[in-house]
Amino acid sequence: MLTGSIPNSIGKLSMLEILMLDNNNISGEIPSSIRNLSRLGTLDLSTNTIEGSIHISAGNCTNLLQIHLDYNRLTGEIPYQIFSLSSLINLSLSQNYLTGLLRQEVGNLKNLNGLYVSTNKLFGEIPETLGNCEVLEFLYIDGNFFEGTIPTTFRQLKGIQELDVSRNNLSGQIPRFLGEFQFFQYLNLSYNMFDGEVPNGGVFTNISAFSVVGNSKLCGGIKLLQLLACPMQVLNERKQPFNHRVIVLTVTLIIVLLSLCILAIIYQNKRSRQPVKLASPLQNQYLQLSFGELFQATNGFSPSNLIGEGGYGFVYKGILNSEEQIVAVKVLKLHEHGANKSFVTECEALKNIRHRNLVKIITACSSIDFKGNDFKALVFEFMENGSLENWLHPSLLEQHEPKNLNFVQRPNIAIDVACALDYLHHHVACALTQSSSIGIRGTIGYVAPEYGMGEEASTQGDMYSYGVLLLEMFTGKGPTSNMFTGNVNLHSYVKMCLPEQVMQIIDPQIILEMEEEPSRSMQNSTTNISKLKTFLVPVFQIGVSCSAEMPSERMSVKDVLKELHKIRNVFLGGFGDKGIQMEEEMILN
């Protein structure tokens, strides 16, 4: 659970061969001095909150064998210098915000055994030079924006065992040579735009070893796929040689198609500069914005403007030039299953919502981008003070101006969130119920367990999410923290410590504030801690109840509000005049 940043002075450890700082809460940037570690063979900074670009170049690091930077918040392009590290056998950069191309220089990594760049923002075509990495066994490039076909040079990857190219924009036919690899154990081609016949040899005979779901134009394959039979011309096209007449016909068709594409692009570019009206009542109530205006407002959806990401979209900070208004733009990931439905759901719900504790929607945009692709976004009022997550888990960049929630603000925030839920459950329930079956299910760690079994969204599901949030607010630990493994989660962790060990699980920041309180008043520190324990036990009990596995065992939001108000009033009352002063200070702040 290390925090803070990696000091630049680490570059002075000239004999260092292995640096493993994975699975911590390290933030800041990768110090540029790492390039001075000439004996470094393994660098593992994975699963932290490290930001900025990758400051690793060939430099003196000629002995690097493994680089693990996955599960961070890195931005920018993959530096080309990495691809000159001929000794590299494992490169893992998944789950970041990296952009740009996967460079052709990747083919220089002759000894590369594993390449992992999943869930980033890489685009362009898959480099053909990857075929030069003949000892490659594990290749994961899923969850990006790669397009084009699978390179024919992949035929040279005879030792490939696992290949995942899912959730991209790849097209063309599935190469038959993929069925010839004898060591294949896992092949994922799902959610692309592949067409034609699915091969039926090798890995394609084992339904548990490969996936082609989400490719609507495929046909054939083994019977378990339950795909339509391929038309005869598709089945025979590999067998029949081209004759002169076929070549002429093909060239003619290409010319016609190119002409149509040019006309379509011209038409679509004109459309992308015009607002496209929503097929919902939002169109009559809100400002109309085009893709081009949002593109300009967010500096081309620049990574530097990215302020968050959810299951269905990225959120960018933007400035509308028309009014110099700062906004938050949620761009939907339309390649994710259910994203289009979630857009309709949110529009239907948001048009009826008006509450002081709910972020205000400014407008929605349903248009096409400059490439002619569908584009959908929701535009919200920008909240200057940031998210609750940033206040609970501030990054290194924010620590020069500490964002610490005190022990009076936390219950007030919990009550405000509950008030918003109460409004949604009892005042706009009709609109939400109509859309619940296609709505957004939630974020990992906060989503109710029954949703994983196909249950529809419900108020009980909301209360589960609220219970997890309540526990997080007073323990300072997120539900996806690395400390929770196996059968232990945030719910069970708190439940095991109630009531006697409650002070062992409280956010240490609250303890520090309580111990410092006597310097500003006549209260005794021990007394403060005792009163805090009396307050925390029922709060944690509410959080545990709300996050119970069975929906029927969870508290309703009305009961939660009633109990939280009672607990807060008793807690502040226990401090007498000081309690009143603390609440007044909270209101002023």
Side-chain angles (χ1 to χ4, degrees):
M1 304 302 291
L2 296 176
T3 60
S5 61
I6 304 172
N8 202 49
S9 56
I10 201 166
K12 297 179 181 179
L13 304 178
S14 59
M15 304 295 287
L16 193 64
E17 296 182 2
I18 298 175
L19 177 58
M20 300 179 71
L21 297 171
D22 53 303
N23 287 283
N24 281 287
N25 289 324
I26 295 172
S27 52
E29 297 191 0
I30 301 174
S32 57
S33 63
I34 281 183
R35 70 185 65 175
N36 299 327
L37 304 177
S38 59
R39 298 175 65 116
L40 193 64
T42 297
L43 175 64
D44 191 346
L45 307 179
S46 60
T47 316
N48 283 286
T49 57
I50 297 173
E51 301 174 326
S53 55
I54 300 176
H55 296 303
I56 300 176
S57 60
N60 297 321
C61 300
T62 54
N63 294 312
L64 269 172
L65 298 175
Q66 301 191 65
I67 298 177
H68 299 274
L69 302 175
D70 43 312
Y71 290 91
N72 278 288
R73 300 175 180 175
L74 297 170
T75 55
E77 298 185 357
I78 303 174
Y80 70 91
Q81 294 94 334
I82 283 183
F83 302 129
S84 62
L85 299 172
S86 58
S87 59
L88 201 62
I89 61 173
N90 202 308
L91 178 60
S92 185
L93 305 174
S94 298
Q95 297 285 339
N96 280 288
Y97 302 103
L98 299 174
T99 59
L101 304 172
L102 183 57
R103 296 174 178 271
Q104 295 286 343
E105 288 86 349
V106 69
N108 296 332
L109 303 178
K110 304 292 185 182
N111 296 306
L112 194 65
N113 179 261
L115 176 62
Y116 307 85
V117 293
S118 304
T119 317
N120 279 286
K121 298 182 181 180
L122 303 176
F123 55 83
E125 296 189 352
I126 301 173
E128 294 183 355
T129 54
L130 266 174
N132 298 334
C133 305
E134 295 184 4
V135 298
L136 194 64
E137 295 181 352
F138 307 97
L139 177 58
Y140 283 77
I141 62 173
D142 51 296
N144 284 284
F145 301 101
F146 288 112
E147 55 189 11
T149 60
I150 294 178
T152 56
T153 54
F154 274 27
R155 188 188 298 271
Q156 300 163 211
L157 304 178
K158 301 294 185 182
I160 194 76
Q161 295 183 30
E162 297 179 9
L163 173 63
D164 193 337
V165 299
S166 63
R167 296 182 294 122
N168 280 289
N169 298 316
L170 299 175
S171 57
Q173 293 191 340
I174 298 174
R176 289 185 175 273
F177 62 75
L178 294 179
E180 301 169 3
F181 293 149
Q182 58 179 330
F183 300 110
F184 244 152
Q185 298 177 11
Y186 173 74
L187 173 63
N188 193 347
L189 306 171
S190 59
Y191 296 104
N192 281 285
M193 296 181 288
F194 291 116
D195 57 39
E197 183 185 12
V198 176
N200 53 12
V203 68
F204 294 101
T205 62
N206 184 356
I207 191 66
S208 63
F210 78 100
S211 175
V212 293
V213 299
N215 293 277
S216 59
K217 298 181 180 179
L218 290 176
C219 59
I222 60 175
K223 290 183 178 179
L224 288 174
L225 290 177
Q226 296 183 336
L227 296 177
L228 295 175
C230 293
M232 290 304 297
Q233 59 265 33
V234 174
L235 294 173
N236 295 330
E237 64 181 357
R238 296 178 184 268
K239 302 176 182 179
Q240 296 178 354
F242 284 117
N243 56 32
H244 177 73
R245 188 173 298 176
V246 171
I247 293 175
V248 172
L249 179 60
T250 301
V251 171
T252 304
L253 285 173
I254 290 174
I255 293 174
V256 172
L257 288 174
L258 282 175
S259 301
L260 290 174
C261 287
I262 292 171
L263 290 173
I265 291 171
I266 294 173
Y267 172 71
Q268 288 167 344
N269 281 339
K270 288 181 178 180
R271 282 187 62 197
S272 66
R273 292 174 173 80
Q274 299 174 351
V276 177
K277 293 184 177 181
L278 291 169
S280 79
L282 279 176
Q283 65 183 356
N284 299 321
Q285 301 176 27
Y286 298 100
L287 172 70
Q288 297 292 297
L289 293 174
S290 68
F291 168 80
E293 288 171 304
L294 294 181
F295 185 87
Q296 183 178 7
T298 58
N299 193 24
F301 301 106
S302 168
S304 62
N305 286 50
L306 186 69
I307 58 176
E309 179 182 1
Y312 283 106
F314 298 100
V315 183
Y316 297 88
K317 180 180 179 180
I319 301 177
L320 298 179
N321 289 333
S322 57
E323 301 179 10
E324 293 295 323
Q325 182 180 10
I326 302 177
V327 295
V329 182
K330 178 181 178 181
V331 179
L332 270 71
K333 305 174 186 175
L334 295 181
H335 62 278
E336 293 288 350
H337 180 68
N340 273 299
K341 291 183 178 179
S342 77
F343 176 77
V344 176
T345 300
E346 290 198 67
C347 287
E348 288 297 318
L350 290 169
K351 71 181 180 183
N352 296 312
I353 289 176
R354 298 290 188 278
H355 193 274
R356 64 184 179 87
N357 293 336
L358 294 172
V359 67
K360 179 184 177 183
I361 187 170
I362 295 174
T363 190
C365 175
S366 177
S367 183
I368 54 175
D369 62 19
F370 294 145
K371 294 182 178 180
N373 300 316
D374 286 338
F375 173 85
K376 287 181 171 60
L378 296 163
V379 183
F380 296 93
E381 181 181 30
F382 182 74
M383 307 304 289
E384 290 288 349
N385 286 332
S387 66
L388 178 58
E389 180 182 13
N390 288 339
W391 281 84
L392 290 173
H393 315 290
S395 67
L396 179 68
L397 296 177
E398 297 166 330
Q399 289 178 4
H400 66 284
E401 295 180 358
K403 286 187 171 183
N404 295 318
L405 296 175
N406 64 39
F407 48 85
V408 178
Q409 291 171 317
R410 297 186 195 219
N412 279 283
I413 291 173
I415 289 172
D416 282 348
V417 175
C419 285
L421 272 179
D422 179 58
Y423 168 78
L424 292 173
H425 288 179
H426 298 101
H427 297 277
V428 290
C430 180
L432 296 177
T433 301
Q434 291 171 355
S435 309
S436 63
S437 64
I438 57 173
I440 295 178
R441 299 298 192 208
T443 303
I444 292 175
Y446 301 88
V447 65
E450 64 267 20
Y451 290 176
M453 295 180 286
E455 294 293 328
E456 291 189 356
S458 66
T459 56
Q460 292 95 335
D462 290 344
M463 295 314 297
Y464 179 90
S465 303
Y466 178 80
V468 173
L469 176 64
L470 192 63
L471 298 179
E472 180 179 8
M473 286 177 63
F474 289 93
T475 62
K477 297 175 176 61
T480 58
S481 170
N482 297 320
M483 68 179 290
F484 301 129
T485 57
N487 295 324
V488 179
N489 55 24
L490 182 56
H491 168 90
S492 60
Y493 167 74
V494 174
K495 188 175 182 179
M496 287 187 295
C497 295
L498 288 178
E500 297 302 324
Q501 297 176 305
V502 68
M503 299 308 294
Q504 296 181 17
I505 60 175
I506 185 177
D507 188 340
Q509 187 61 40
I510 298 179
I511 298 290
L512 290 174
E513 290 169 8
M514 283 302 233
E515 291 175 344
E516 294 171 358
E517 190 62 30
S519 65
R520 299 192 294 270
S521 72
M522 298 300 293
Q523 294 284 347
N524 179 272
S525 175
T526 304
T527 303
N528 282 353
I529 297 298
S530 176
K531 290 176 180 175
L532 180 61
K533 180 178 179 180
T534 304
F535 163 77
L536 283 173
V537 170
V539 169
F540 279 135
Q541 286 173 340
I542 292 174
V544 168
S545 173
C546 290
S547 57
E549 184 172 352
M550 295 298 295
S552 59
E553 297 176 2
R554 298 171 196 158
M555 294 177 66
S556 70
V557 69
K558 286 192 176 296
D559 290 337
V560 168
L561 273 173
K562 180 181 178 181
E563 291 301 314
L564 285 180
H565 275 113
K566 184 190 302 181
I567 295 168
R568 183 185 66 172
N569 293 339
V570 170
F571 175 65
L572 292 177
F575 286 93
D577 293 340
K578 184 60 183 176
I580 298 173
Q581 180 186 343
M582 290 190 309
E583 184 155 25
E584 288 176 346
E585 289 176 354
M586 184 280 299
I587 294 171
L588 290 174
N589 290 331

